[in-house]
Amino acid sequence: MSGNHNNHLDIDFIRSCFPAFAEPLAAKTAFFENAGGSYVAGPVLDKLTHFYRSNKVQPYGYCEIAKNAGKQMDAGRQTMADLLGVPSQTITLGPSTTQNFNTLAHACSRLISSDTEVIVTEQDHESNIGAWERLCQRNKATLRLWPVDAATGELHISDFENLLAKSTAIVCLTHSSNIVGTINPVEEVVRLCRQNGTRVIVDGVSCAPHQWPDIPALKPDAYCFSTYKTYATHLGVMYIAEDFAQYLDPQCHYFNQPFAQKRFDAAGPDHAAIAALDGLGEYFSNSYAHHLGDANTSLFLKTQKVSALMKAHESDLCAQLLDTITRLPLRVIGNTHHNGREANIAMVSEKHSSRAMSEMLASKDICAGHGHFYAMRLLKKAGIKDTDDGVLRVSFSHYNSSEDVERLAQALNDLHQ
Ligand SMILES: Cc1ncc(COP(=O)(O)O)c(C=O)c1O
């Protein structure tokens, strides 16, 4: 591939990499439910179907077919490590991030006792609150809540500084919330925690689809995200830094404990889904070659560069939508400017229920869900009384086009005339 060497995402090329757009339903839908799960990149689908078709057997045996299955799984795991720029043994592949947080909380049990505290945020998805709340209840430790600003739903670092104490063992926060979209100051939290001997666990589920994680730069103790939102198969990736993992209790069968990548694997995830992750590397590599040329650089650096192009594209789309909706009788939860936020916008209307808006958009083949999206505590604090109706959430992916946004903006505009 020659590379078109420019700084803009080639949306036609990107859409051609997603087989969904060749299907009639996806072709006619303006899809803004990406935070619930994205379309799957072609190379991922190819690897998935290849695994199921060619060698869906117990992997790692002596037969050629079993050897092949094992090789493909090893390739998927190694590709994920390379995409993240971390050693493969620091990654656990589980069925979902909810499961991974539960497993991690159990693994942290011996760090948490009646004289320690855990801080969670009021902004997080329940999966990164409930697991820690249950751990604190079991171990009679104190759970502290980093509150959000009721008006904006945002977190202020000064509130965190007031909460952080010598007794704080663990801090759990989201990189960006699935409702508010603001990118939280993870680097600053990590810096403050390092000085205090506190561990930092980051939920990257909402952020990763918009901004591929840079774990070597962030330096968290643990970072989790879900690949079914990053254009791949349904898995949860859990990175645990080696110097943290050594203090944790294994959550696997006792005879698997010597194998680092199995220590926190409590579930035994789908083999084919793991093998298919190799296709995600191919997708990022192909996108790099198309946009930036065939440089001989690491997959991690290629992915960071491609991700920057994707983010810039989404940021433009986000600005395009905000420009319209900030003039309508809609309350946007969080930052009304595209800078510093993900292209994931939640809103409530003065005129319509969130459900009615979601249904009216659906009648125009525009897909955007409504509800609390498991960020129940945040919605309550933000004053949204009917949490089942919740917010209308419009979440973008890099394959969304300006035409998609135009249709959405027009439809929301029509609804408020
Ligand atoms: C911000 C956030 N964290 C965690 C989760 C849980 O991820 P999973 O569905 O993989 O359990 C979600 C799911 O939507 C999410 O949006």
Side-chain angles (χ1 to χ4, degrees), residues 41-338:
V44 177
L45 274 177
D46 290 346
K47 303 266 175 191
L48 182 75
T49 48
H50 176 69
F51 191 95
Y52 272 120
R53 189 170 293 150
S54 307
N55 44 243
K56 209 236 145 263
V57 298
Q58 177 75 1
Y60 302 110
Y62 296 118
C63 280
E64 198 176 345
I65 190 167
K67 277 188 194 155
N68 271 351
K71 271 190 205 152
Q72 285 161 38
M73 287 178 66
D74 288 349
R77 161 178 287 284
Q78 188 57 52
T79 294
M80 181 48 70
D82 294 345
L83 282 162
L84 293 170
V86 302
S88 149
Q89 67 271 18
T90 59
I91 290 177
T92 298
L93 297 172
S96 71
T97 294
T98 303
Q99 176 66 65
N100 282 342
F101 277 140
N102 259 309
T103 304
L104 186 57
H106 280 278
C108 288
S109 191
R110 77 164 108 145
L111 307 180
I112 304 301
S113 57
S114 57
D115 54 2
T116 54
E117 298 181 358
V118 174
I119 297 178
V120 294
T121 88
E122 203 172 12
Q123 198 185 60
D124 270 73
H125 185 283
E126 191 60 25
S127 67
N128 199 25
I129 303 177
W132 305 104
E133 186 173 51
R134 293 190 291 277
L135 172 64
C136 288
Q137 282 162 356
R138 282 196 298 277
N139 292 14
K140 303 194 173 17
T142 305
L143 185 80
R144 299 239 179 260
L145 194 63
W146 178 0
V148 292
D149 183 317
T152 62
E154 297 195 320
L155 294 166
H156 299 306
I157 193 81
S158 53
D159 290 329
F160 174 67
E161 284 172 307
N162 290 338
L163 281 176
L164 186 65
K166 268 281 148 232
S167 50
T168 311
I170 297 178
V171 173
C172 309
L173 85 158
T174 190
H175 199 169
S176 71
S177 125
N178 61 343
I179 301 290
V180 180
T182 305
I183 300 155
N184 286 324
V186 171
E187 293 91 336
E188 182 62 358
V189 169
V190 169
R191 193 185 65 75
L192 291 166
C193 287
R194 284 287 165 273
Q195 297 165 354
N196 203 51
T198 302
R199 300 295 186 169
V200 183
I201 291 162
V202 182
D203 178 351
V205 175
S206 187
C207 200
H210 309 287
Q211 181 175 312
W212 188 256
D214 187 347
I215 291 173
L218 288 173
K219 299 187 177 56
D221 292 289
Y223 193 103
C224 297
F225 67 101
S226 306
T227 46
Y228 70 96
K229 312 207 192 215
T230 63
Y231 352 116
T233 39
H234 201 128
L235 291 169
V237 177
M238 176 162 65
Y239 159 82
I240 307 180
E242 277 167 315
D243 87 315
F244 184 33
Q246 63 178 314
Y247 297 106
L248 305 182
D249 293 328
Q251 300 296 310
C252 60
H253 304 312
Y254 71 91
F255 42 80
N256 280 333
Q257 289 180 11
F259 307 103
Q261 80 267 25
K262 294 189 178 174
R263 280 169 69 82
F264 307 106
D265 175 358
D270 179 359
H271 296 163
I274 293 176
L277 294 180
D278 195 27
L280 191 59
E282 209 173 301
Y283 172 57
F284 275 111
S285 266
N286 292 347
S287 298
Y288 183 91
H290 179 80
H291 291 93
L292 298 154
D294 282 321
N296 186 16
T297 184
S298 70
L299 185 57
F300 170 68
L301 287 177
K302 285 182 179 177
T303 305
Q304 289 294 320
K305 292 211 162 128
V306 169
S307 175
L309 290 180
M310 293 171 168
K311 189 170 168 56
H313 170 72
E314 286 188 31
S315 197
D316 288 348
L317 299 184
C318 192
Q320 186 186 342
L321 186 68
L322 285 168
D323 187 44
T324 299
I325 63 175
T326 47
R327 285 185 262 138
L328 301 176
L330 287 164
R331 172 185 170 203
V332 172
I333 315 293
N335 187 358
T336 52
H337 195 273
H338 62 282

